[in-house]
Amino acid sequence: MITALKFTLLLLALAFAQGLHYNYIDELDKEAGTVRAVQASQYVSLWPLPQKVKILDLSFKLTSFNIVDAKESSAGSSCSLLQDAYRRYYEYMFGIAKRQGPRKSRLTGPSELTELQVWITSPDSECDGYPSVTSDESYELSVDLPYAVLKAPKVWGALHGLETFSQLVYEDQYGAKSINSTAISDFPRFAHRGILLDSSRHFLPLKVILANLETMAMNKFNVFHWHIVDDQSFPYLSRTFPQLSQQGAYHPYTHVYTPADVKMVIEFGRLRGIRVVPEFDTPGHTQSWGKGQKDLLTPCYSGSKPSGSFGPVNPILNTTYDFMSQFFKEISTVFPDAYVHLGGDEVDFTCWKSNPDIQKFMDQQGYGQDYKKLESFYIQKLLDIVTTTHKGYMIWQEVFDNGVKLKPDTLIHVWKGNQEQYQSEMANVTSAGYKTLLSTPWYLNRISYGQDWHGHYKADPQDFNGTEEQKKLVIGGEACLWGEYVDATNLTPRLWPRASAVAERLWSAKDVTDINDAFNRLSVHRCRMVARGIPAEPLFSSYCPREYKGI
Amino acid sequence: VAAANFGRYTRPKFNLVLLIILQLSLHTVEGVWPLPQSFTSSTERYPLNPKAFYFGYGRQSAAQQDCSVLDAAFKRYFSLIFPDYTSDNLSVSAGQASLNAETVWGALRGLETFSQLVYQDDFGTYFVNKTEIDDFPRFQFRGILLDTSRHYLPVQAILKTLDAMAYSKFNVFHWHIVDDPSFPYQSRTFPDLSSTGAFHPMTHIYTQSDVRRVISHARLWGIRVLPEFDSPGHTQSWGKGQSDLLTPCYRGSTPSGTFGPVNPVLPSTYQFMARLFKEVSSVFPDSYIHLGGDEVDFSCWKSNPDVRAFMQKMGFGGDFTKLEAFYMEKIVNITSALKKTSIVWQDVFDYHERVMLHIWKGTPASYKEELSRMTKAGMRVLLAAPWYINHIAYGQDWRNYYTVQPLNFSGTEEQKKLVIGGEVCMWGEYVDATNLTPRLWPRASAAAERLWSDEKQTSSVDEAFPRLQDFRCKLVRRGIRAEPLHVGHCKHEYQGV
């Protein structure tokens, strides 16, 4: 698997390393040596905007440059996460050709920067760990002579700092690289900055998922919410229940994620500071589960006979919970993240209503005709099961709305309604003391003509009526790209750079709201993604120095 | 029967008869897109052995070995039909399929149809069902507009689009090559136009050899290349490399420093245009040329004292549409003298027998009225209004493109005959090489069937849905990033990023 992973890395590096080019900053060269007050336009290459930036009009040439561990760093050459990142960013900045040539040992000029030292300051660098919602992602970057220094308490901050450093490098007309004297101090505004991809409505080949993890890192996203199964297909190959994908995937061999695939996604994400949170949505959205697991779904009735179709998970059978226990036990070992997303959205009650056994159960339990109580009964039992696996859980807002008893550290995922409705939902969830994250304004699968990123950029997850304490319960948000109309053919240009607008809202300070400045910076950022081999679509009529070459 | 002149009045009519060894099977062919005019297939299927399969010229065919178009097409279609050809298949068949066409262009369409009839079973064996097809297009002009000015499209992206066009039987590439934002066409006569008007003078231009490559690639696919040099509006980028071409706008009595449409009052303008169009008409072999003429903003002309003086002299009063018509008339005269037929956007009001009108504006009600009015005046027209495919929306908007009825306007049979076809427009404000292909396909294919197939046989959008789904998977299999219509999967998913 390690070999396969290395091979993928190499492929990606080959595909992406195209070097950088900003024609916007060339003018600064003429002023080299003079130090002036910095203007906003000088942040033009940075996305998302760091918390504190100071760029001087003093530029350094980068001719023979290297990224090295600082002597004092707690993560040395044995930290492969960092070594991989150095190589990745070196190739983004300088391309591959130079690396292979012999290192020139010649005298460097006075305004030449030769080194970036990366210094992990805390005793535990977390190099071999997994990122979590409490990870320290902060970093400080100082670009000055004799060498640039990137200081971060943990490797996660160092990864973000490397991305920022790579964004500061620009090239002149003839490809010579420079960087200006810069001081940056940076940390994320929100801890949970996610992208949801849906691999059930359309199967997404591994390569597409990895390329998007790569792009997420360029945008400082840190959570990949993998909506891996749903009604349409079950591509997750379960070791405990192989029938689920054997019967429930679009194709049992070509349209599945094997355990090795899943491992690769998780490790690829980890190396980029990205958590992988899997979603196994129940009791609704489970049609594909039923194909490989008999008696799991509720048989629907028409009149007094089974109609042959099936509804949500059958909540009244003990076998259901036995299955869920085994299944989530597997999930908790396969996915290292502390959270698992349990779904719980859009449960359709008509099938439950039609089934006489369910009706009998409802009577026994004294639920009357209130099927929300039955849903709560199911979810409650499921949450107990997942609790025994020592995982925290995320759930869609309906579970909260329906009054299910939840553990205090449950994350409520808000996705419904218009602006007024989601803001009042955020207020309700936080006033009940729960942590929450927002997706409603960021359903990027919904497309329209024109620059819809404006709307995504303006939405702020803390804009609702509530106390400061309530606002602190908002841990972030997620951009969702549901898969009804999306597969490998159009996913990447539909996601980027629209998701980048969300990235800045979740990372940068609350007062970073100037849409014109954002347009200028985002245009450069999208061309940078294109230069790195990512087909990020244009914002408006324009050009990139290096246009997308893949077709 | 011979390869006749490219395009214009040849109707590529062909029929395809397949007679090979019999073998019964339960496979039902998902079908061909766009739907042929007459199509009979049975469940009898014949295996195809790539090792033994070949294309040959019929003994009586007017085109024989060395016909560049068909030689190239045979090669192309062999690998399209057998994408993962491995040499360990059994040899089974010994039959023949025959394809008759009046011109090579019809033969190309027939080869495309044949390639869509071939399928593979789960074990990789290729089959084709016993089939008889008699086919011809409903409209002779079936175009796609690409805009290379708002974003530069690398030549590779254009060539790939031409491939995909042929798969949907489109036959005109309308190249909206220049516009306000940039002038990527590298002119032999006026090299400054691109060296100062392109986004970048070296990397964002189409050289003469690029243009030749596009034209010859298109020809081999049976596609005409119709260039558009839009004027007098949409010409900001022209002004950078050609001084005095654009009208200087005035604020009060002094020039404001900005420029408007082409300056119609200077003789130098027409000298320039004559030389430019002389070059363009020799570079682009098609007998049509698109002159634009849309969205002319009169405010700059109004501000300019010289233009106002000219209006007075000509007796146009305050009617600037007369000035526009005066200008267009002169341009049409230039291109007519070069033996080209002009196409102009519908904004050009001065109806003229020598030009064809391109309808692009309005709601269904208003464009139908326009069709009715213009054909009544005897004008030939081309419909684009319902197929502005750059406008995107959530969901299955291909259904709207599919259900267009181009001839459903009030008018006589004679009037209907003046509708020579339609065009799908992909304007470039939000489109470049990163998203062009998935945005164009398979949405444009919906319009392709409307323009090729019989309207009665293709009136049901729900019946079209599974066929189009199948066709989009064929496109993906051929390496075209065609996006999905709805949930589902292709046997071979797109493997790029």
Side-chain angles (χ1 to χ4, degrees), chain B residues 391-406:
Chain B
H391 289 139
I392 51 167
Y394 185 67
Q396 298 196 41
D397 57 357
W398 70 274
R399 289 168 182 264
N400 305 330
Y401 307 131
Y402 193 77
T403 49
V404 172
Q405 296 176 301

Side-chain angles (χ1 to χ4, degrees), chain B residues 380-398:
Chain B
R380 283 180 300 148
V381 296
L382 193 58
L383 183 63
W387 293 307
Y388 261 41
I389 211 157
N390 53 310
H391 289 139
I392 51 167
Y394 185 67
Q396 298 196 41
D397 57 357
W398 70 274

Side-chain angles (χ1 to χ4, degrees), chain A residues 200 229-236 241-252 255-256 287-293:
Chain A
S200 171
V229 300
D230 205 298
D231 282 333
Q232 287 76 8
S233 76
F234 197 103
Y236 173 76
F241 301 101
Q243 286 303 310
L244 288 170
S245 63
Q246 189 69 32
Q247 304 294 326
Y250 281 129
H251 187 284
H255 288 62
V256 295
Q287 289 295 303
S288 69
W289 302 48
K291 294 184 183 163
Q293 185 64 20

Side-chain angles (χ1 to χ4, degrees), chain B residues 153-405:
Chain B
L153 298 173
V155 173
Q156 276 306 329
I158 295 176
L159 300 183
K160 195 83 170 182
T161 303
L162 290 168
D163 295 355
M165 283 172 67
Y167 304 153
S168 286
K169 298 191 171 74
F170 279 104
N171 68 349
V172 181
F173 166 40
H174 175 168
W175 195 349
H176 188 85
I177 191 166
V178 298
D179 204 300
D180 283 332
S182 77
F183 197 103
Y185 172 76
Q186 190 179 44
S187 161
R188 288 187 298 229
T189 325
F190 303 101
D192 287 350
L193 289 171
S194 65
S195 69
T196 52
F199 283 134
H200 188 284
M202 305 299 292
T203 58
H204 287 62
I205 58 167
Y206 301 106
T207 63
Q208 289 292 318
S209 73
D210 288 339
V211 172
R212 273 200 302 274
R213 196 158 156 223
V214 167
I215 292 168
S216 77
H217 190 93
R219 174 178 164 272
L220 291 177
W221 284 115
I223 296 168
R224 301 161 51 192
V225 178
L226 169 70
E228 176 179 354
F229 285 83
D230 189 355
S231 72
H234 290 282
T235 47
Q236 288 295 304
S237 69
W238 304 42
K240 295 182 185 165
Q242 185 66 19
S243 56
D244 299 333
L245 179 64
L246 304 185
T247 311
C249 313
Y250 277 65
R251 189 182 299 120
S253 60
T254 49
S256 68
T258 64
F259 294 88
V262 166
N263 193 334
V265 309
L266 298 179
S268 61
T269 292
Y270 301 103
Q271 285 156 15
F272 164 81
M273 289 294 181
R275 291 179 67 196
L276 179 69
F277 280 111
K278 189 173 173 210
E279 172 186 327
V280 167
S281 38
S282 71
V283 170
F284 293 89
D286 200 77
S287 62
Y288 283 72
I289 189 164
H290 204 300
L291 299 177
D294 59 318
E295 300 184 309
V296 183
D297 180 7
F298 295 145
S299 56
C300 182
W301 279 352
K302 280 179 189 164
S303 77
N304 183 300
D306 298 335
V307 173
R308 286 201 305 266
F310 184 80
M311 294 279 289
Q312 207 113 64
K313 195 178 104 194
M314 300 297 290
F316 293 162
D319 186 355
F320 283 85
T321 61
K322 286 187 176 151
L323 180 60
E324 184 190 354
F326 167 84
Y327 171 83
M328 288 309 292
E329 171 85 26
K330 295 199 93 161
I331 300 298
V332 170
N333 285 343
I334 287 170
T335 52
S336 298
L338 294 162
K339 308 263 189 302
K340 298 279 181 180
T341 306
S342 303
I343 305 181
V344 295
W345 297 106
Q346 70 184 91
D347 313 41
V348 179
F349 303 101
D350 183 28
Y351 300 151
H352 207 294
E353 293 226 332
R354 285 174 299 172
V355 304
M356 189 157 92
L357 289 174
H358 200 158
I359 312 293
W360 67 279
K361 283 198 283 201
T363 59
S366 67
Y367 75 68
K368 278 175 192 170
E369 199 177 301
E370 200 74 350
L371 283 171
S372 185
R373 202 160 61 89
M374 287 170 176
T375 53
K376 199 165 185 182
M379 305 290 300
R380 283 180 300 148
V381 296
L382 193 58
L383 183 63
W387 293 307
Y388 261 41
I389 211 157
N390 53 310
H391 289 139
I392 51 167
Y394 185 67
Q396 298 196 41
D397 57 357
W398 70 274
R399 289 168 182 264
N400 305 330
Y401 307 131
Y402 193 77
T403 49
V404 172
Q405 296 176 301

Side-chain angles (χ1 to χ4, degrees), chain A residues 25-85:
Chain A
I25 299 189
D26 290 349
E27 298 305 312
L28 294 179
D29 263 354
K30 295 170 192 158
E31 320 262 3
T34 63
V35 179
R36 277 191 327 191
V38 181
Q39 284 163 18
S41 60
Q42 284 187 314
Y43 303 145
V44 77
S45 65
L46 293 170
W47 191 279
L49 194 67
Q51 302 286 345
K52 282 183 205 145
V53 194
K54 194 172 183 203
I55 302 177
L56 303 184
D57 265 359
L58 175 65
S59 80
F60 310 121
K61 296 264 174 282
L62 300 169
T63 44
S64 77
F65 180 79
N66 218 350
I67 307 174
V68 298
D69 300 303
K71 270 198 299 277
E72 309 88 330
S73 179
S74 64
S77 54
S78 64
C79 176
S80 66
L81 179 145
L82 283 183
Q83 304 307 319
D84 275 9

Side-chain angles (χ1 to χ4, degrees), chain A residues 201-202 207 250 255 445-447 449 484-485 487 489-490 494 526 536-542 544 547, chain B residues 150-151 204 390 394 429-430 432 434-435 439 472 481-490 493 495:
Chain A
R201 285 162 180 113
H202 286 98
K207 203 169 154 189
Y250 281 129
H255 288 62
N445 51 308
R446 302 219 150 254
I447 52 169
Y449 187 66
E484 281 86 348
Y485 301 103
D487 72 1
T489 61
N490 59 353
R494 192 159 291 193
R526 105 87 189 173
E537 67 179 21
L539 297 176
F540 194 59
S541 304
S542 65
C544 294
E547 300 289 358
Chain B
R150 291 177 174 89
H151 286 98
H204 287 62
N390 53 310
Y394 185 67
E429 282 86 346
Y430 302 103
D432 71 3
T434 61
N435 60 353
R439 200 163 282 204
R472 101 93 187 171
R481 275 200 292 162
E483 67 179 21
L485 296 177
H486 196 50
V487 297
H489 78 292
C490 294
E493 299 287 359
Q495 291 301 324

